[in-house]
């Protein structure tokens, strides 16, 4: 496994559900501390500053650190955990999946369970099991063991378990939390490569918190930076699996970085969008388009900061998003890094003014 895959393995497997991003934050700090100035907002987002030949324009590269997960609500007298979701979960993909409960005593393995089909009526078998009817089984004999021996208590976070795995075609990468650890990896890689490049601006790479529960870190970190322009690096639904039509999702794995043209939280800045497309074509960087009629990104908060921030979403097509296991393509990841570097090396104060 080469250095890039080792890095992607490390950051995707790290636990970091909404409000519990510290492990991911530390990985980014370890990677970038020697080459950037580091600051934070008061919510937990981490900000890496890389000054180029000029102080302005200030470019914000935002990638959220949190993944979807769960939190313990209460413990039944039999020792099972009832939970609430952190972020958007779809019941179909939850049952039978392994999880890790993070307690004051350490990690506790478990599995999401419900009544088996053998005891359901024919009518019940046709229905999707609701989250409220699920529970987490940690192998406790009762609530006393779960609380006093295992150290579990309400408020403990629960993280999906899935190991990083290159598939038989090793350009396809399977893991949990690509949404949005791949964005964090791209942001970090761009900053690392900038130490060897000249750029006429100042770049702020941001690992935001709590995107999956309301784009919260995007708002607070934008207030710290007050950027002139912003790029949000995230994932998008891949439209190359059975059952998805072209009008639902058009981006495909391995076909290039996806440039956002619309989502439910933002219409992109049109001149900025066209400028990035032009650069992609000029540098022969493969790209495609992405849209989302049912979701948004950190861009939804950043683009309305202050008097407004020209903002664009750069995405990596991802299969099986918001589940325990998802798949990306390494070529798309590499195209995103190339595109952002090309933009940063070109985006001077004069170019920024021409976009307004």
């Amino acid at each position: 496994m080469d250095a890039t895959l080792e890095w992607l393995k490390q950051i995707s497997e790290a636990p970091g559900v909404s409000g519990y991003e510290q492990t991911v934050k530390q990985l980014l700090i370890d990677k970038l501390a020697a080459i950037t100035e580091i600051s934070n907002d008061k919510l937990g987002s981490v900000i890496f500053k890389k000054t180029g030949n000029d102080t302005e324009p200030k470019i914000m590269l935002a990638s959220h650190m949190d993944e979807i997960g769960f939190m313990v609500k209460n413990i039944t007298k039999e020792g099972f955990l009832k939970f609430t979701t952190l972020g958007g979960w779809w019941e179909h993909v939850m049952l039978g999946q392994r999880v890790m409960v993070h307690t004051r005593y350490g990690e506790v393995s478990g599995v999401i369970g419900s009544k088996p089909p053998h005891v359901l009526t024919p009518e019940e078998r046709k229905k999707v099991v609701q989250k409220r009817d699920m529970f987490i089984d940690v192998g406790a004999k009762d609530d006393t063991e779960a609380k006093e021996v295992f150290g579990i208590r309400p408020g403990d976070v629960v993280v999906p378990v899935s190991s990083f795995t290159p598939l038989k075609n090793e350009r396809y990468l399977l893991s949990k939390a690509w949404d949005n650890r791949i964005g964090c990896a791209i942001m970090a890689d761009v900053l690392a490569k900038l130490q060897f490049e000249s750029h006429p601006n100042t770049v702020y790479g941001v690992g935001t918190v709590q995107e999956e529960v309301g784009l919260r870190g995007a708002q607070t970190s934008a207030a710290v930076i007050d950027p002139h322009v912003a790029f949000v690096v995230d994932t998008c639904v891949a439209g190359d699996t059975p059952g998805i039509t072209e009008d639902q999702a058009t981006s495909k794995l391995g076909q290039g970085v996806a440039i956002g043209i619309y989502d439910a939280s933002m219409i992109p800045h049109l001149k900025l969008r066209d400028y990035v497309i032009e650069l992609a074509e000029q540098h022969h960087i493969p790209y495609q388009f992405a849209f989302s009629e049912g979701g948004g990104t950190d861009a939804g908060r950043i683009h309305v900061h202050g008097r407004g921030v020209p903002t664009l979403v750069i995405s990596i097509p991802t299969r099986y998003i918001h589940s325990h296991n998802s798949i990306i393509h390494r070529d798309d990841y590499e195209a995103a890094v190339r595109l952002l570097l090309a933009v940063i090396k070109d985006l001077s104060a004069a170019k920024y003014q021409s976009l307004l």
Side-chain angles (χ1 to χ4, degrees), residues 67-102:
E67 63 186 292
I68 58 172
F70 314 97
M71 179 180 288
V72 177
K73 289 196 303 184
N74 63 282
I75 305 170
T76 71
K77 64 180 181 179
E78 296 83 11
F80 297 100
L81 314 183
K82 298 295 289 185
F83 61 88
T84 190
T85 54
L86 298 175
W89 280 96
W90 186 42
E91 283 91 343
H92 287 73
V93 302
M94 293 170 59
L95 281 179
Q97 298 291 342
R98 295 189 181 193
V99 295
M100 189 71 71
V101 186
H102 289 254

Side-chain angles (χ1 to χ4, degrees), residues 94-167:
M94 293 170 59
L95 281 179
Q97 298 291 342
R98 295 189 181 193
V99 295
M100 189 71 71
V101 186
H102 289 254
T103 81
R104 62 191 188 277
Y105 296 161
E107 297 178 345
V108 177
S109 296
V111 62
I112 298 175
S114 71
K115 292 190 297 184
H118 307 72
V119 299
L120 300 179
T121 65
E123 192 61 33
E124 287 175 325
R125 293 185 191 185
K126 298 177 183 178
K127 298 179 181 178
V128 178
V129 177
Q130 298 298 302
K131 291 188 285 286
R132 64 178 178 269
D133 297 321
M134 299 180 191
F135 51 82
I136 296 172
D137 188 343
V138 293
K141 65 180 180 181
D142 54 30
D143 59 339
T144 299
E145 183 174 52
K147 295 173 183 177
E148 298 181 6
V149 180
F150 297 173
I152 300 172
R153 56 186 174 186
D156 286 344
V157 294
V158 184
V159 180
V161 172
S162 175
S163 60
F164 173 87
T165 308
L167 298 180

Side-chain angles (χ1 to χ4, degrees), residues 113-288:
S114 71
K115 292 190 297 184
H118 307 72
V119 299
L120 300 179
T121 65
E123 192 61 33
E124 287 175 325
R125 293 185 191 185
K126 298 177 183 178
K127 298 179 181 178
V128 178
V129 177
Q130 298 298 302
K131 291 188 285 286
R132 64 178 178 269
D133 297 321
M134 299 180 191
F135 51 82
I136 296 172
D137 188 343
V138 293
K141 65 180 180 181
D142 54 30
D143 59 339
T144 299
E145 183 174 52
K147 295 173 183 177
E148 298 181 6
V149 180
F150 297 173
I152 300 172
R153 56 186 174 186
D156 286 344
V157 294
V158 184
V159 180
V161 172
S162 175
S163 60
F164 173 87
T165 308
L167 298 180
K168 187 67 174 177
N169 179 342
E170 294 187 352
R171 306 304 287 180
Y172 291 82
L173 306 175
L174 170 69
S175 193
K176 75 170 182 66
W178 284 136
D179 181 13
N180 183 35
R181 300 300 163 66
I182 192 59
C184 293
I186 290 167
M187 178 270 289
D189 285 352
V190 168
L191 289 177
K193 292 180 185 300
L194 281 178
Q195 64 183 311
F196 307 111
E197 302 284 355
S198 175
H199 55 102
N201 43 55
T202 298
V203 180
Y204 295 82
V206 186
T208 66
V209 296
Q210 299 188 42
E211 189 266 1
E212 296 290 2
V213 292
L215 319 181
R216 296 167 186 172
Q219 180 173 339
T220 51
S221 57
V224 173
I225 298 167
D226 194 21
H228 293 96
V229 64
F231 297 94
V232 171
V233 191
D234 210 320
T235 58
C236 63
V237 174
D240 57 357
T241 56
I244 300 181
T245 62
E246 283 285 322
D247 68 320
Q248 293 174 319
T250 57
S251 60
K252 298 174 174 60
L253 267 64
Q255 298 300 306
V257 58
I259 296 173
I261 58 173
Y262 171 84
D263 67 49
S265 70
M266 187 194 74
I267 298 171
H269 188 277
L270 300 185
K271 286 187 177 181
L272 181 63
R273 180 201 66 188
D274 292 345
Y275 164 64
V276 171
I277 292 171
E278 180 182 335
L279 278 178
E281 293 177 347
Q282 178 182 329
H283 291 273
H284 306 290
I285 299 170
Y287 72 91
Q288 49 192 323

